[in-house]
């Protein structure tokens, strides 16, 4: 029996609705400062995004179909026109006529998150639909200036949605400012067939070794089983000292740690691994339920997941 059964969308959906209603009630209160009203609006946005995300992911299997990507991008632009006009911004959509095999609802939600994240930069945007040299369809969103904050809500949701679907989300330098690349799949040559009853390894091809550090025995047991089923090599240890000894068996690409991020001993271990493995992914285990937060792009802040919901969050947190 699964010790962490996933909650159905029918159970979680009222949570988003309750957040929206609470935020709207708070916004009606008199005497709120401008800072408080901004935070209340952010709370309302979070509730709405949660409802939309649950609608896109649904509760069961999704049927993929050939979706005209340029048409989907143009449809997203039309939906965003009122918000673009309110902010005084423009969005130009261009590119090739390409198709992608995807669930239409999930693709639409990814496009919406991509554009909403871009609008947070406060500049005119350009969305380009292209096919990469390896045959993978891509969306390139670009603009002038420094770009949106990596911690912005829509950007974090986009990264986690992309990881759960096996879509790469990457921020790149651009001669005119910034660029976000959303790769809607994996190159055919890089795909690895499923290993027996396990999960598709291709979603974690870049994570050749993971290291799980947590004093809780139950957490280590669940994590070990998930790693085995996914085909990811790794170690599950109880202490930081054991983790350091485990480095003799291989340097991990990702570390999932149940000890606090700001613990000096944790930072010392991270520095040791980082020196041998630039680009190390660090995920912090926390006790709060339903935590699934992306870390900063530069690695200065870890990703965070709940140790009580590993069945649903561990593998997506390791995905490329």
């Amino acid at each position: 029996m699964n010790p962490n059964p996933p909650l159905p969308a029918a159970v979680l959906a009222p949570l988003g609705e309750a957040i929206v209603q609470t935020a709207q009630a708070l916004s009606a209160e008199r005497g709120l400062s401008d800072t408080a009203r901004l935070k209340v609006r952010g709370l309302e946005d979070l509730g709405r995004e949660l409802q939309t995300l649950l609608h896109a992911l649904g509760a069961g299997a999704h049927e993929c179909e050939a979706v005209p990507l340029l048409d989907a991008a143009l449809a997203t632009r039309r939906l965003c026109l009122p918000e673009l006009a309110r902010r005084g911004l423009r969005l130009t959509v261009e590119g090739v006529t390409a198709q992608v095999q995807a669930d239409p609802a999930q693709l639409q939600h990814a496009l919406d998150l991509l554009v909403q994240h871009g609008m947070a930069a406060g500049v005119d945007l350009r969305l380009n639909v292209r096919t990469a040299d390896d045959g993978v369809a891509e969306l390139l969103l670009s603009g002038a200036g420094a770009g949106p904050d990596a911690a912005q809500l829509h950007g974090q949701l986009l990264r986690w949605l992309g990881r759960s679907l096996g879509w790469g989300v990457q921020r790149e330098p651009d001669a005119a400012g910034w660029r976000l690349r959303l790769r809607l799949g994996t190159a055919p040559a890089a795909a690895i067939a499923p290993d027996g009853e396990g999960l598709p390894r291709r979603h974690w091809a870049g994570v050749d070794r993971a290291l799980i550090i947590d004093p809780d025995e139950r957490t280590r047991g669940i994590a070990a089983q998930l790693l085995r089923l996914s085909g990811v090599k790794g170690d599950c240890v109880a202490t930081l000292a054991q983790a350091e000894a485990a480095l003799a068996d291989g340097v991990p690409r990702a570390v999932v740690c149940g000890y606090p991020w700001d613990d000096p001993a944790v930072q010392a271990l991270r520095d040791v691994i980082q020196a041998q493995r630039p680009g190390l992914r660090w995920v912090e285990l926390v006790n709060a339920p339903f935590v699934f937060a992306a870390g900063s792009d530069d690695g200065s802040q870890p990703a965070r997941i709940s140790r009580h919901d590993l069945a649903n969050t561990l593998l997506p947190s390791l995905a490329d």
Side-chain angles (χ1 to χ4, degrees):
M1 177 180 296
N2 184 356
N4 289 291
L7 287 174
V11 174
L12 289 178
L15 176 61
E17 183 178 357
I19 292 175
V20 171
Q21 291 175 348
T22 300
Q24 290 175 340
L26 287 172
S27 66
E29 295 287 336
R30 295 182 178 180
L32 290 180
S33 66
D34 291 341
T35 301
R37 289 195 180 278
L38 185 62
K39 291 182 178 180
V40 168
R41 182 176 177 183
L43 180 65
E44 183 176 352
D45 289 342
L46 174 61
R48 295 191 187 281
E49 289 298 340
L50 178 59
Q51 290 176 299
T52 305
L53 184 62
L54 289 170
H55 175 74
L57 293 177
H62 296 272
E63 293 295 332
C64 291
E65 58 185 70
V67 181
L69 191 53
L70 185 58
D71 290 347
L74 289 169
T76 298
R77 179 184 179 274
R78 289 192 294 270
L79 290 173
C80 292
L81 281 176
E83 181 64 15
L84 287 163
R86 187 185 72 80
R87 300 186 185 211
L89 304 177
R90 291 182 300 173
L91 170 62
T92 302
V93 176
E94 59 188 12
V96 301
T97 302
Q99 289 190 332
V100 61
Q101 287 290 329
D103 174 80
Q106 293 176 343
L107 176 61
Q108 190 62 56
H109 188 53
L111 274 162
D112 180 64
L113 291 174
L114 179 65
V115 174
Q116 292 286 342
H117 182 49
M119 282 195 289
V123 297
D124 291 339
L125 303 171
R126 183 176 299 275
L127 180 59
N128 184 266
V129 179
R130 67 184 296 270
T131 301
D133 293 339
D134 56 12
V136 176
E138 295 183 336
L139 293 164
L140 298 176
L141 184 70
S142 59
D149 188 341
Q152 194 263 344
L153 171 64
H154 298 95
Q156 292 208 38
L157 289 173
L158 176 64
R159 286 195 294 275
W160 286 120
L161 178 63
R163 287 179 182 178
S164 68
L165 298 176
W167 295 349
V169 182
Q170 185 175 3
R171 182 165 176 162
E172 304 170 336
D174 184 79
W178 55 272
R179 179 172 64 190
L180 290 173
R181 182 190 300 270
L182 175 60
R183 284 174 56 86
L184 302 172
T186 308
I192 301 177
D195 180 17
E197 59 178 320
L199 301 173
R201 174 73 185 278
R202 63 184 177 86
H203 289 287
W204 300 277
V207 180
D208 48 9
R209 180 173 291 277
L211 177 59
I212 313 296
I213 314 167
D214 196 73
D216 183 73
E217 183 177 357
R218 177 177 173 275
T219 298
R220 298 196 305 275
I222 295 173
Q225 182 181 29
L226 290 169
L227 291 181
R228 178 180 59 81
L229 291 176
S230 69
V232 176
K233 298 177 181 178
D235 299 287
C236 297
V237 299
T239 67
L240 296 174
Q242 292 174 345
E244 188 170 356
L247 298 181
D249 297 326
V251 182
R253 179 77 58 132
V255 175
V256 181
C257 183
Y259 293 90
W261 166 257
D262 55 4
D263 185 326
V266 169
Q267 289 298 310
L269 177 64
R270 176 177 174 270
D271 290 344
V272 169
I273 303 176
Q274 181 86 18
Q276 302 176 68
R277 181 76 83 173
L280 172 71
R281 178 178 298 156
W282 195 280
V283 182
E284 184 179 14
L285 287 171
V286 298
N287 285 323
F290 310 123
V291 174
F292 196 63
S296 59
D297 289 340
D298 61 4
S300 61
Q301 290 297 321
R304 288 184 173 88
I305 62 175
S306 170
R307 60 164 48 85
H308 304 301
D309 195 31
L310 287 184
N312 297 312
T313 60
L314 178 63
L315 295 182
S317 76
L318 299 177
D320 298 325

